[in-house]
Amino acid sequence: QVKLVESGGGSAQAGGSLTLECAASGYTPVKPCMGWFRQVSGNQREGVALIDGAGYHSIADSVRGRFTIARDNAKNTLYLHMVGLKPEDTAMYYCAAEEALPICILGGLTATDFRFWGQGAQVTVSS
């Protein structure tokens, strides 16, 4: 059973930066597709960024150039580095993982394709 534990997040001024971390455990030697989704209350979870075991990643248009996804397979940790934050980035951010997906590309997957989720980390950006 894959377990994901998030840390980081919090509050920032517009233009500021934050980093989210997601510590993963329990998955097979095949590195899973991992990523970040975000959700504003009442809306569906929106894909932010995905990364596969080899480091190939995809980023949502809304955050491209401002957010960076990375993973350290030795530490089993996923990161989301966020700079140039905007008030519209305010949301609950969730780490997700799934094993044995045929692809790991944003646009080809939705939140329903992922079985394993972190508890969520709130990010609040004030103007």
Side-chain angles (χ1 to χ4, degrees), residues 4-123:
L4 304 173
V5 179
E6 300 175 23
S7 60
S11 298
Q13 297 276 344
S17 61
L18 289 170
T19 295
L20 300 176
E21 294 188 16
C22 174
S25 63
Y27 53 70
T28 67
V30 175
K31 302 301 182 185
C33 174
M34 300 187 71
W36 296 95
F37 289 76
R38 65 186 182 185
Q39 185 173 27
V40 176
S41 179
N43 293 349
Q44 292 184 334
R45 287 188 186 184
E46 170 195 22
V48 176
L50 296 180
I51 188 168
D52 68 12
Y56 179 85
H57 59 275
S58 52
I59 302 286
D61 289 343
S62 58
V63 303
R64 184 172 291 115
R66 301 187 297 117
F67 290 13
T68 303
I69 188 170
R71 67 192 289 169
D72 185 332
N73 287 332
K75 296 181 178 180
N76 293 332
T77 302
L78 179 72
Y79 303 92
L80 185 68
H81 302 292
M82 304 179 288
V83 301
L85 284 163
K86 303 177 179 180
E88 52 262 43
D89 295 320
T90 296
M92 185 72 78
Y93 284 70
Y94 295 91
C95 171
E98 184 55 66
E99 300 170 303
L101 286 172
I103 60 171
C104 183
I105 300 174
L106 212 55
L109 299 171
T110 68
T112 58
D113 292 304
F114 290 81
R115 289 178 294 162
F116 306 111
W117 293 90
Q119 78 280 10
Q122 178 67 39
V123 171

